[in-house]
Amino acid sequence: QTRIGRARWSPDGRRLLTTGYGASVRVWDLKTGNRLLVLDNAVKAESHTRMDNISDLTLPVARWSADGRTILAGYSDGTIIL
């Protein structure tokens, strides 16, 4: 399980964007509780060769676009996912 560090409502209020320690970004359907999107451990998998514990992991920053159709996720190593 991933601890949630930040959460943002979608512009229409129907989805929730969460970021968690371990570099996870997830989108949730608030009506059903289902996960709609998972970008899990992107920085850990691609940028780091050795991670011994959760304190080594970063908390990404993620934002919705104004129309709610696009998500921008940024990581401390400079990685950006759109």
Side-chain angles (χ1 to χ4, degrees), residues 20-48:
Y21 296 93
S24 68
V25 176
R26 298 175 188 207
V27 177
W28 304 86
D29 181 303
L30 293 174
K31 186 174 184 179
T32 66
N34 292 332
R35 279 187 309 222
L36 302 175
L37 175 71
V38 177
L39 300 173
D40 214 9
N41 295 322
V43 171
K44 180 181 175 184
E46 295 176 12
S47 300
H48 301 281

Side-chain angles (χ1 to χ4, degrees), residues 1 4 6 8 15 18 32 35 37 52 62 67 69 79 81:
Q1 291 184 342
I4 294 174
R6 297 183 178 112
R8 294 207 173 261
R15 294 164 292 157
T18 63
T32 66
R35 279 187 309 222
L37 175 71
D52 297 326
D67 64 5
R69 294 173 52 183
T79 301
I81 299 173

Side-chain angles (χ1 to χ4, degrees), residues 9 12 17 20-21 34 36 42 52 54 70-71 74 80:
W9 299 98
D12 64 8
L17 172 64
Y21 296 93
N34 292 332
L36 302 175
D52 297 326
I54 198 160
T70 305
I71 296 168
I80 295 176

